[in-house]
Amino acid sequence: NAGVTQTPKFQVLKTGQSMTLQCAQDMNHNSMYWYRQDPGMGLRLIYYSASEGTTDKGEVPNGYNVSRLNKREFSLRLESAAPSQTSVYFCASKPTGGWNTEAFFGQGTRLTVV
Amino acid sequence: KQEVTQIPAALSVPEGENLVLNCSFTDSAIYNLQWFRQDPGKGLTSLLLIQSSQREQTSGRLNASLDKSSGRSTLYIAASQPGDSATYLCAASSSNTGKLIFGQGTTLQVKP
């Protein structure tokens, strides 16, 4: 049981380049989330998808787009990378949106924008 | 707007000591609160989930409590070991969308 899988694990981009971070879960969860983690800032929500076919903005969505490709996959795209997007990105999933359900996280993607 | 705070930011204790990590939240209308462990350079591992209707939850040497009225949760670690050294994060879910609001974490060092 792989849980939540993120690819790639590491990436270095030049300013202005684009890339897509991939996330897949094999737990048949409805809800999926993208967070970024920065020193001193904790984890902040970028986008989330409460169910297949829906996406919503989180706390820090600017500069990002997402796609809920199917129930398993939720991708995060940086159209024109900026140094301020240097961070560790985590994908998470939950069985349902709200009540009393445990969130599971991937191992993270460490992104550096130079 | 929900805000979650963890104090202290860092803690160092000798092996064998019992310790308490604190988590406070501003909106008492939470759905649940989850405690995570994060090792350096790694992802988040779920430790305990406390449902909104529960007062505490236990797993091995870990015990988490929840007091919604005071906006507080604590994580109690009994007989600490060097292997417990990590960053501990608490996160509150205040919405039916399941969004988690995180504290900034407490970095624990247990010295042999």
Side-chain angles (χ1 to χ4, degrees), chain A residues 33 35 37 40 42-43 45 48 90 94 97-103 105-107 110, chain B residues 31-32 34 36 38 41-44 46 49 51-52 95-100 102 104:
Chain A
Y33 310 83
Y35 290 86
Q37 184 176 34
L43 279 90
L45 182 65
Y48 65 99
F90 288 102
K94 295 182 73 170
W99 299 93
N100 306 325
T101 53
E102 191 174 4
F105 281 73
Q107 289 300 299
R110 285 153 183 79
Chain B
Y31 280 41
N32 59 58
Q34 196 166 351
F36 296 88
Q38 185 176 31
K42 303 295 185 182
L44 280 70
S46 179
L49 172 75
Q51 301 176 13
S52 57
S95 162
N96 61 3
T97 61
K99 294 186 292 184
L100 291 173
F102 281 85
Q104 295 190 9

Side-chain angles (χ1 to χ4, degrees), chain A residues 14-114:
Chain A
K14 293 182 179 179
T15 298
Q17 286 186 318
S18 63
M19 78 162 294
T20 299
L21 282 64
Q22 307 286 353
C23 175
Q25 51 91 9
D26 61 2
M27 296 173 282
N28 201 36
H29 288 172
N30 288 320
S31 300
M32 298 185 73
Y33 310 83
W34 276 105
Y35 290 86
R36 61 178 288 174
Q37 184 176 34
D38 302 291
M41 302 291 291
L43 279 90
R44 293 178 293 169
L45 182 65
I46 306 172
Y47 269 95
Y48 65 99
S49 171
S51 61
E52 185 179 354
T54 68
T55 61
D56 282 289
K57 295 178 180 180
E59 185 183 356
V60 288
N62 291 345
Y64 305 95
N65 286 301
V66 291
S67 295
R68 183 73 183 267
L69 304 172
N70 47 55
K71 193 172 186 179
R72 290 187 63 248
E73 299 172 289
F74 188 38
S75 62
L76 178 71
R77 182 160 178 85
L78 287 70
E79 291 291 352
S80 179
S84 61
Q85 294 178 304
T86 293
S87 186
V88 182
Y89 292 85
F90 288 102
C91 177
S93 70
K94 295 182 73 170
T96 59
W99 299 93
N100 306 325
T101 53
E102 191 174 4
F104 295 88
F105 281 73
Q107 289 300 299
T109 295
R110 285 153 183 79
L111 175 67
T112 302
V113 183
V114 297

Side-chain angles (χ1 to χ4, degrees), chain B:
Chain B
K1 177 184 175 184
Q2 178 72 275
E3 293 181 1
V4 179
T5 303
Q6 292 184 250
I7 296 173
L11 183 63
S12 181
V13 299
E15 183 177 4
E17 192 163 297
N18 302 326
L19 59 100
V20 175
L21 306 180
N22 296 299
C23 173
S24 61
F25 46 93
T26 56
D27 184 354
S28 62
I30 62 171
Y31 280 41
N32 59 58
L33 189 135
Q34 196 166 351
W35 282 92
F36 296 88
R37 169 184 173 139
Q38 185 176 31
D39 293 293
K42 303 295 185 182
L44 280 70
T45 300
S46 179
L47 296 174
L48 289 165
L49 172 75
I50 308 179
Q51 301 176 13
S52 57
S53 58
Q54 296 178 319
R55 296 283 291 181
E56 65 177 50
Q57 193 69 262
T58 298
S59 177
R61 294 183 294 107
L62 305 179
N63 176 277
S65 68
L66 177 64
D67 184 343
K68 290 199 301 179
S69 62
S70 66
R72 294 185 62 186
S73 177
T74 61
L75 180 67
Y76 174 83
I77 302 177
S80 58
Q81 304 171 357
D84 294 331
S85 298
T87 296
Y88 292 81
L89 296 151
C90 68
S93 178
S94 303
S95 162
N96 61 3
T97 61
K99 294 186 292 184
L100 291 173
I101 306 300
F102 281 85
Q104 295 190 9
T106 295
T107 299
L108 172 66
Q109 182 184 29
V110 181
K111 297 180 178 179

